[in-house]
Amino acid sequence: MTYDRVDVPDSGEKITIQNAETDELSVPNNPIIPIIYGDGIGPDVAPAAQTVLSTAAEETGREINWMRLYAGESARDKYGENLPAETIDAIREFNVAIKGPLTTPVGAGYRSLNVALRTELDLYTNVRPTYYLDGVPSPVKNPEQMDMVNFRENTEDVYVGIEWEAGTEEVQQVREFVEEEMGYDEMIHDGPVGIGLKPISEFGTKRLVRKAIDYALENDRNSVTLIHKGNIMKYTEGAFRDWGYEVAEEEYGDEVITEDTLWEERDGEAPEDAVVVNDRIADNMLQQLLTRTDEYDVLAMPNLNGDYLSDACGAQIGGLGIAPGANIGDGRILAEPVHGSAPKYAGQDKVNPSAMILSGRIMFEYLGWDDAADLIRDAVEATISEKYVTYDIHRQIDGGEKVATSEFANRVAEHIERLA
Ligand code: NAP
């Protein structure tokens, strides 16, 4: 494929999908990896992450050939639009990419640029690992107990954006349909009302839960917990739970056991190597995150629950400056930090690049570069442990040195060289 305004590096090779059934990639040692710097603090944290990721790759005998793509403000400058088709096409072609945060401009014609990217590329799983790094200040007593991986559905639920504004012709039509044709009269209050739809499908649920169970099996995790409000929303969230169990029971044989079977047939004793699938109601789960932290492992949930739950998990291990994420589809990944573009800090070389660096770690794991991924984790931990930290962590600890985004990244790179 040829591109108008993307400079494809002269050297380096493309990552390709080797086996579409298993999503297995063919990863050369010198891949071309697209990167979107993003808006606000994106141009601060993205180059910092590049420094660290390139160093980790080199120290493990590889070389990354970066390819800049554009979305948001940088795309408006270059293309006159927020999300150029070339950007989508290039991620589709190169399969593995990383991005900084994007601001959605008012009146852009998108609910959110991030949602548009995830939808266009069918990146249906949002993965957010939350684990503790030594030295990171936390509001809880035992932050080291947090080691969960959130799998949040990315393409449906109330976030899909089917909603109608109060006072419009459309909302009136929906109201009439609901009240007159469906017979739910007197359930919607009189006067102005906004109405939204909450689609949760068997297809969307099962492919998400499959990803979570596959991850648990591949990474020796003990359990996958389906999180839902199925006690109230029976045909959406309750269906999510039921379809999740169906996947577990019908597709994995002895590799997976449900919590009910575990107690009915095995007195709670899980077979070695089997993943236990259980479910929890979302409000209960929000308190269990705090009270029974070490009992949970991999979490799978619809879009809205996932948004809330993963931020709550993130808070326990140090917050937004640290929390990494990735959007994953079939054979394709777009890694990105959980945080946004924090415009008030843009261009100040001030914010914490750890979230973007650790998002790169997820991308490396996806490539099968576990050695480089572990080096990144250990080097970020070593840097924070010696209290060489950005403002957000510095304000929460005693002593230490407050450093710039770039200084922090350079130090992480030095630690990688030392540890390699
Ligand atoms: P935000 O950009 O995440 O920033 C909120 C606060 O979090 C910051 O003021 C800062 O707190 C802290 N923070 C965020 N990133 C940090 C970092 N790297 N290091 C240290 N502290 C960090 O959230 P927002 O202000 O609500 O959103 C701003 C824009 O980002 C919006 O347009 C939103 O739509 C967009 N957004 C994009 C994404 C994405 O691209 N995936 C995600 C979320 C939001 P203190 O000031 O207290 O230090």
Side-chain angles (χ1 to χ4, degrees):
M1 187 151 196
T2 52
Y3 297 93
D4 270 353
R5 276 166 254 191
V6 173
D7 291 326
V8 181
D10 296 332
S11 54
E13 291 169 58
K14 208 188 296 179
I15 296 169
T16 52
I17 299 175
Q18 192 165 33
N19 182 338
E21 293 226 323
T22 59
D23 292 350
E24 200 186 327
L25 297 177
S26 170
V27 183
N29 269 338
N30 59 345
I32 296 173
I33 298 189
I35 182 165
I36 299 170
Y37 281 8
D39 297 325
I41 56 171
D44 298 273
V45 295
Q50 276 179 302
T51 301
V52 171
L53 299 178
S54 291
T55 305
E58 276 158 31
E59 291 297 327
T60 51
R62 304 163 177 123
E63 181 203 33
I64 299 177
N65 296 274
W66 295 104
M67 180 171 84
R68 283 282 303 276
L69 300 179
Y70 304 89
E73 195 184 328
S74 64
R76 287 199 295 283
D77 293 345
K78 220 174 163 65
Y79 294 84
E81 58 179 317
N82 287 303
L83 190 53
E86 282 201 338
T87 298
I88 305 276
D89 291 342
I91 299 173
R92 239 184 231 128
E93 181 177 357
F94 290 85
N95 296 306
V96 171
I98 185 165
K99 69 175 272 289
L102 291 170
T103 308
T104 296
V106 179
Y110 293 103
R111 179 159 299 258
S112 144
L113 275 178
N114 296 299
V115 173
L117 258 174
R118 293 169 192 162
T119 311
E120 290 270 344
L121 292 160
D122 200 22
L123 300 167
Y124 56 86
T125 314
N126 187 253
V127 181
R128 294 182 178 178
T130 30
Y131 49 88
Y132 181 64
L133 295 174
D134 258 352
V136 177
S138 160
V140 299
K141 287 187 190 146
N142 297 108
E144 71 290 345
Q145 290 184 355
M146 170 63 70
D147 184 9
M148 297 182 203
V149 186
N150 291 282
F151 282 73
R152 166 189 170 195
E153 207 289 325
N154 243 351
T155 63
E156 44 185 29
D157 198 355
V158 283
Y159 275 34
V160 83
I162 311 176
E163 56 174 5
W164 299 277
E165 193 179 356
T168 59
E169 176 63 25
E170 288 86 353
V171 86
Q172 189 53 31
Q173 282 174 15
V174 178
R175 180 198 271 273
E176 279 167 21
F177 175 73
V178 171
E179 291 180 343
E180 289 163 25
E181 305 226 4
M182 302 298 285
Y184 293 99
D185 50 348
E186 308 205 357
M187 287 185 80
I188 304 174
H189 291 299
D190 287 341
V193 60
I195 300 180
L197 279 191
K198 178 184 174 72
I200 290 194
S201 70
E202 178 178 0
F203 171 75
T205 300
K206 286 191 167 177
R207 66 178 181 169
L208 182 270
V209 173
R210 242 176 244 126
K211 275 262 187 288
I213 295 177
D214 288 346
Y215 176 90
L217 287 167
E218 280 160 24
N219 293 279
D220 292 328
R221 295 287 188 147
N222 294 324
S223 65
V224 173
T225 304
L226 309 169
I227 298 166
H228 60 88
K229 281 291 293 177
N231 53 329
I232 310 289
M233 292 171 273
K234 298 187 193 312
Y235 306 129
T236 49
E237 303 250 342
F240 176 89
R241 174 201 56 218
D242 296 345
W243 287 321
Y245 276 126
E246 259 176 51
V247 170
E249 286 167 340
E250 292 173 6
E251 299 182 19
Y252 288 91
D254 294 344
E255 290 183 303
V256 167
I257 186 166
T258 64
E259 193 172 49
D260 282 352
T261 311
L262 190 66
W263 286 102
E264 278 159 19
E265 295 176 13
R266 300 184 57 96
D267 209 17
E269 187 75 28
E272 212 174 316
D273 297 335
V275 168
V276 177
V277 174
N278 52 24
D279 75 281
R280 298 289 180 269
I281 291 174
D283 40 348
N284 175 29
M285 190 64 209
L286 274 163
Q287 57 103 17
Q288 296 216 9
L289 287 182
L290 284 162
T291 56
R292 306 175 79 142
T293 314
D294 55 357
E295 290 181 22
Y296 294 95
D297 216 334
V298 176
L299 313 180
M301 56 216 132
N303 212 333
L304 177 63
N305 292 339
D307 206 0
Y308 294 158
L309 258 293
S310 55
D311 270 30
C313 289
Q316 285 181 233
I317 50 99
L320 283 180
I322 295 284
N327 303 294
I328 298 179
D330 292 329
R332 187 171 294 138
I333 183 170
L334 179 61
E336 65 171 339
V338 170
H339 64 68
S341 53
K344 66 181 172 183
Y345 298 124
Q348 294 178 27
D349 197 15
K350 173 175 175 151
V351 295
N352 192 344
S354 298
M356 179 108 184
I357 292 169
L358 294 169
S359 301
R361 180 189 180 212
I362 305 176
M363 182 175 80
F364 277 12
E365 285 174 334
Y366 195 79
L367 296 178
W369 293 5
D370 288 0
D371 48 353
D374 290 347
L375 270 178
I376 291 169
R377 182 205 173 282
D378 293 347
V380 171
E381 187 169 57
T383 309
I384 295 173
S385 292
E386 64 183 353
K387 298 189 176 181
Y388 192 83
V389 289
T390 44
Y391 85 96
D392 53 319
I393 295 193
H394 188 261
R395 71 184 168 196
Q396 300 178 66
I397 58 174
D398 291 330
E401 194 175 342
K402 182 161 74 170
V403 301
T405 310
S406 52
E407 290 172 311
F408 180 87
N410 290 338
R411 183 75 131 227
V412 174
E414 284 165 22
H415 277 298
I416 289 175
E417 286 162 357
R418 179 181 63 78
L419 292 164

